[in-house]
Amino acid sequence: MKKKFWIIIGFVIFGINLSVHAQKIDLVRYVNALQGTNSSFELTRGNTYPTTALPFAMHTWTPQTGINGDGWKYQYQKDSIRGFQQAHQCSSWTNDYAVFSLMPVTGKLQVDQYSRAAKFSHKNETGRPNYYRVALDNGITTEISPVERGAHLRFSFPKGKSAFIVLDGYTGMSGVNIIPGENKITGYVHNGRGLQKNFKSYFVIEFDRPIRSFGIWNNHTGQRLPGKTDAEGKGMGAWVEFDRGAKVQVKTASSYISPEQAELNLKNELGQFASLEETKEAAWKIWNDHLSRIFVEGGSEADKATFYSCYFRASLFSRKFYEIDRNGNPYYFSPYDGKIHSGYLYTDTGFWDTFRAQFPLNALLHPTMHGRYVSALLDAYDQCGWLPSWSFPGEGGSMIGNHAISLLADAWAKGIHTFDPEKALKAYYHEATNKGPWGPANGRDGWKEYFTLGYVPYPKYGEATAKTLEYAYDDFCGYRLAEMTGNAFFQNIFSRQMHNYKNVFDPQVDFMRGRDENGEWTPKFDPYEWGGPFTEGNAWHYLWSVFHDVNGLINLLGGKERFVAKLDSVFSVPNTVRVGTYRRMIHEMTEMQMADLGQYAHGNQPIQHAIYLYNYAGTPWKAQQKVREVMKKLYNATENGYPGDEDQGQTSSWYVLSALGFYSVCPGTDQYVFGSPIFEKTTITMENGKQFVIEAENNNSQNVYIRSAKLNGKEYSKNYIRYRDIINGGNLVFEMDNQPNLQRGTLPEDMPYSVSIRK
């Protein structure tokens, strides 16, 4: 008995040592912050920039190769840098807001963005989450390490050469105040789209070396005012000079609330760090602890680099928009009503992209943050009268659908009950029965016809069929939230609409299709034609947009065999593109053709879940093979790392979840549907400290099929796993093989949720 006791104790200690050892492994080294940066208007490999930031931080920092105001702020193919900037950009298509930049200059003082630009080579550039470094061709080295609301920079000038730092106020209004005696610059910027008139990002910049000379300049007129200490206006900036050959450390922080809060943010977040090395080390620890929440073993080094680079990118959104006051309490400037409020607020995301995977990933790993997030959706509703759909930083109304309800229903289904469900349902009902003043997703385009006809008519409304499909899913989410909370009134209302997807399915062509006000189908149907009744896609992509009732879609297509054959054909038909109403090739079309997977257009969101639908039709092995093929073929950790727009963490989150072995096909339920895990072992440490371990025995690049599965030691035949089974900790063991198991996961009870069978 005593011997057995000591053996057990030994294993416990050994396990603890393993856990500690795992925490000390440098996972940050796998992350390439330049992943996906080789992008352009014509072709996207991510549309990312080399982000230096902490997880979900309020501000990020990046080098700038593009001109001020250009959405393509960093392009890998460019060979000069014109600034290092505070950034928030979600996508090249959205530009940015609250931007200012710093640029080191040597030789003759040059202030404008063109003449101050310096050449560089990627061989002299390093991009990690906690540290960015570049040695410019002119001999200046720039280094950056992040905190949540600012950054620590260091500019090392060549020995004996002049040392200037130029502050650029960017594209909008700005104010600057140089305080030479304190080696400091303070001020604000107001730039971006659709901002409140009183929106300002107040900044404070502290230098650790004496300012020897200084001046104000204007990037709009080019005027320079040497010796002047302050100015306010469009494009106002500043320059300061230091001793020749100086090595200058810069601490900067910003606030949306006040100059005083900016000073407090600087003190709280950077005050304890005497050197950039200390800031870098602290940021490394934060990131390494964060990345260690998902500890993978096995697989290739390239697989790990891709995984952790994607996990990094998935961990940037949504961004914190709140700050901490002197008493340690959260509060924020609201981009919705321009007032100061207590509590939490997050921004910089578009739900059309991120409801699919990015938020379901956050719900798994960060339920406290996610609870704050969904609660803040209703605060935003109080402040602007609408649920957000595309926050940047206020409501933009971009894309289609009313997917805030997806986040709310999904949170409730997973036990995150941080909001009033009746208030949420009332807010969604308002959203679904009105059209707001902003973009198509602010309120509901065609809401009257959707309720009366059962679909949005085309061509009266652009992208009408895509809108019908997404409205039906959103109404399902409203139905689910009402069902889960016992609200019979709203359950009855939304249950009438959630099957409206059937009204745009044409059995004559076996596709979703445009339909006019009189019920007539749009003539000259071509499933390869983009646009028209669809959003950034065609009929091949939108046929599968029935997240909540795949069983109903199977019935529309004539049963499981025909459904599977149709899904097979997505990958086997030609990758033909007809530009349709776009009238030219857009980057999504080019990316689909480059992927060479038929009509499977993984570079955009509408079809990203489709692979997993094989699980609903009793052929899960086909999902297992296809998901591994897509991960291997379309993702890597380089500047060409994505098959299209990364989109605020969504495309990265698809990879992270898929690499674990499952995916959130239908947010609003508690199920994650199985694919095929990449790694031999993955340990997920939950926020509550429990661990969920996924083991894939005999896993390799050929053994992509699940022969058998056990959950906590018991045989497990289902094609999905529930949220609670993961967060409560446990062990999921897959036995992998190079041949499919044609019997496993084929019974009706193994299929994931479809509302038509009320499972």
Side-chain angles (χ1 to χ4, degrees), residues 63 65 85 111 181 253 277 476 499 531 543 574 598 647 652-653 733:
T65 64
Q85 63 172 229
V111 292
E277 281 74 21
F476 159 77
H499 296 290
L543 174 60
D647 283 329
S652 294
S653 297
V733 179

Side-chain angles (χ1 to χ4, degrees), residues 61-64 81-86 99-105 116 142 144 151-155 164-169 185 203-207 238 240 250-252:
W61 279 77
T62 182
Q64 174 191 354
I81 290 172
R82 65 190 69 215
F84 300 91
Q85 63 172 229
Q86 175 180 275
V99 179
F100 69 90
S101 69
L102 300 172
M103 183 64 189
V105 174
R116 72 178 187 240
T142 295
I144 310 173
H152 199 155
L153 301 93
R154 182 163 59 204
F155 301 112
F164 299 95
I165 296 177
V166 176
L167 166 65
D168 193 322
I185 303 175
F203 60 79
V204 56
I205 303 169
E206 289 185 352
F207 307 98
V240 289
V250 183
K251 292 181 179 181
T252 180

